[in-house]
Amino acid sequence: MPPNFVTEVIDADLASGRVERVVTRFPPEPNGYLHIGHAKAICLNYGLARDYGGRFNVRMDDTNPTTEDPEFVRSIQDDIAWLGLEWDDLRYASDGFEELFALALRLVEAGHAYVDSQSEEAIRDGRGTLTEPGTPSPYRDRSVEENLDLFGRMRAGEFPDGAHVLRAKIDMASPVIVLRDPVLYRIKHAHHYRSGDAWPIYPLYDFAHPLTDALEGITHSLCTLEFDNNRAVYDWLVGHLFPEPRPRQYEFARLVLDHTVMSKRKLSALVKGGFVDGWDDPRMPTIAGLRRRGVPPEAVRTFATRVGVTKSLSRTSPALLDESVRDALNPVAPRVMAVLDPVPLELTGLPRHVDVVVAPRFPDDPASAVREVPISKRLVIERDDVALEPPEGFKRLAPGRAVRLRHAFVVRCDTVDVDASGRVERVHATVLPDSLGANPAGERVWSAIHWVDAEAGAEATFRLYDRLFDVPNPDAVGGTFTDHLASDSLLERHGLVEPSVLRDGPDTRYQFERLGYFWRDPRDGRDDTLVFDRIVPLKDGWAKRRDAPANAGGDGALATPAAPAPSGASPDAAEVHPFAHLDAGARATAERLRDQHGVDPAAAAPIASSSELAALFADGVAAGAPATDLATWLANDVQRLTRAHGSVPAGLSGTMLARLLALVDDGRLTLRMARALLDEVAHSGEDPEALVVERGLSVQGDPAALAVWVERALAEHPAEVAAYRGGKRGLHGFFVGQVMRASQGRADPAAVQDAVREALEHGEG
RNA sequence: UGGCCCGUCGUCUAAUGGCAGGACAUCCGGUUUUGGUCCGGACGGUCGGGGUUCGAAUCCCUGCGGGCCAGCCA
């Protein structure tokens, strides 16, 4: 799998020894069918474990007895197996109910959890809002003994549903709402499909998920972005109950596909509303739907790696899936001919002895197997392939024109019969002699079209599937999402297919030449009746060209009433004064920094708004640091450090900054070196000067020494040198960069710039 | 005056302070007994403003835009 932000984390964890091996998991709740978004998550978790030689588990997150069902457990296993991915362990969160209960007990004993006896509504009210803190439950300070007693009786089934809950005792005023004493257990006298009636209480996701991860030895717990908020509880719980190495949660962006919907609720609405044929309707983005449509599993895997893994909110075009499907099928799908919208073609001049032609199953491979295709003077061809009056660019059959019958003869169209409305009804054509496997002299052959013998061809039904919705995002436009269902997402055609398909296995995926990839519908097309599903159409340059004027802009994108978002270039892009958002006290400090010390306002503002930075500034100035330089460092580098570290590193002091600055000022360190040193000493608290002496650090400004690096940089990048001399002057910075890097930041930038320019301009060649 | 996450070609995604690259889509050309495949080429991007730096997509500040969180769902 290509590198991504998760593999970076894993690389670092392995390198630091935080974990010894990788254990991932895919945690579906067995309350619905898997869809292609899940496939992405499965591929990610599986791929990580595989690539790092770790383990991958599938875990049913079955902690809510009222929604879960063994039928889904089965379908989830089927779907994952179909994807071709194997798990090391199949687990159930419900198998850990006993252990989870013990952990809850420990929390209670430690005073970290309590039984709340408020009503559901009171708990909701007490939680506060997004902008107001919550209020503590009157039961929050129950004694450990009382909590133990009550929780034990909850477990014993003494109370009715809703009488009590177990809550974590965290912080009712936390800005992170999930930390406002989250509910851990609820009373639910319900039959669980696995644990039966053994439990009257069930843990909630926020409790069960992290702790099950920990129990299972998961190292990297991957989930989608919306669980970002829940990470706070995750860390709180495993932090209180498990030693390192604890599992850590990382969130990635879920897959969102254009022109479809992915939520369980909406998918279910499509099924229940009869808008589709079921969960495995080939138009559905479910794994079952993809499978029934004939999409090969490797195409889904390819697609999953093509979409990548990031935290950016994104929408993916179904074209990427389609292309992955074609990539998978093109090399393996035998070619055959089928006519979906047949119109009779009457031939004259077909040689008497010919009743069959031999055609390769893979025309691009000269060594491929062949099949025999019956031919007679009565054929059918595609109605689209005939025009009485051919439009501009039309390369197919029209009166007087000759085309190749694919794998057979060239025929010239004599007449075309049309009905009153102009619809083509019948075509008469003459076979050109000696055109089998050779081009007739003096005849322009416009193209090759597919055909099937009218008599020998097998009757078949063809189902043509297309995107479910005619807008990219059915949620972003007005009305209910079902308002935007495409009317033509399923088209049924009745035509003929060449009889060779009758001899193939029922699972064979074909390319119907010039049309697309098809296979026999697993539900309706596997007995005597031939029903073919179109897996994906071939790219069709002609259709694109023909439809272009009508569509004017193509793709449903236009259907979205695109608000002319003013975005960044909005009117108030005007500069905002750095002090604008400071409170009165900070503003006074900032003004003092500016007026008394000459600090740039842009640097003064962040320093003034942080007491730590302000203190460092005062100390540094007292230690003799130049105020403006110090301020710049504080506003930039120290803030960077602070952010990365979570707080001001312990070893950092104003004196240290002053010394670092002095070293730069004296020319003993470059800024870059000083910065690198800062990162180091801020944590260790070492004296910068001592480190400089110890390591023999010095600025390299000696022309002769620089010249060596410059020469090497030029020698290693001859193409860039040539490009520079050819006029691409921007490459100067590139070479400076090479030299700076080679010197590990020790070279004096100004000297390097000159040396590089000199070498580039006046060097030999 | 809630917290957090995210902004790179039309779309998805690389670049980890040093030439903004790839894939899909689009367009053009070549090969072709599939208007397919394959091959070649083109188009096209760092959300705005300020700062730090020799050098910023990347670091700092700020604005704008999008998303998530107030289930005894997961």
Side-chain angles (χ1 to χ4, degrees), chain A residues 59 61-63 93-94 97 100 183-186 202-215 234 237:
Chain A
R59 179 177 77 229
D61 238 347
D62 52 0
T63 56
S94 55
F97 280 165
L100 291 172
V183 175
L184 270 22
Y185 270 89
R186 78 282 220 189
Y202 292 92
L204 277 97
Y205 171 88
D206 273 329
F207 180 78
H209 197 89
L211 300 180
T212 307
D213 276 350
L215 257 8
Y234 191 106
L237 279 169

Side-chain angles (χ1 to χ4, degrees), chain A residues 22-24 44-56 88:
Chain A
V22 174
V23 185
T24 60
L44 206 213
N45 282 291
Y46 171 87
L48 252 17
R50 181 200 53 207
D51 290 358
Y52 288 92
R55 295 177 65 80
F56 163 67
D88 290 298

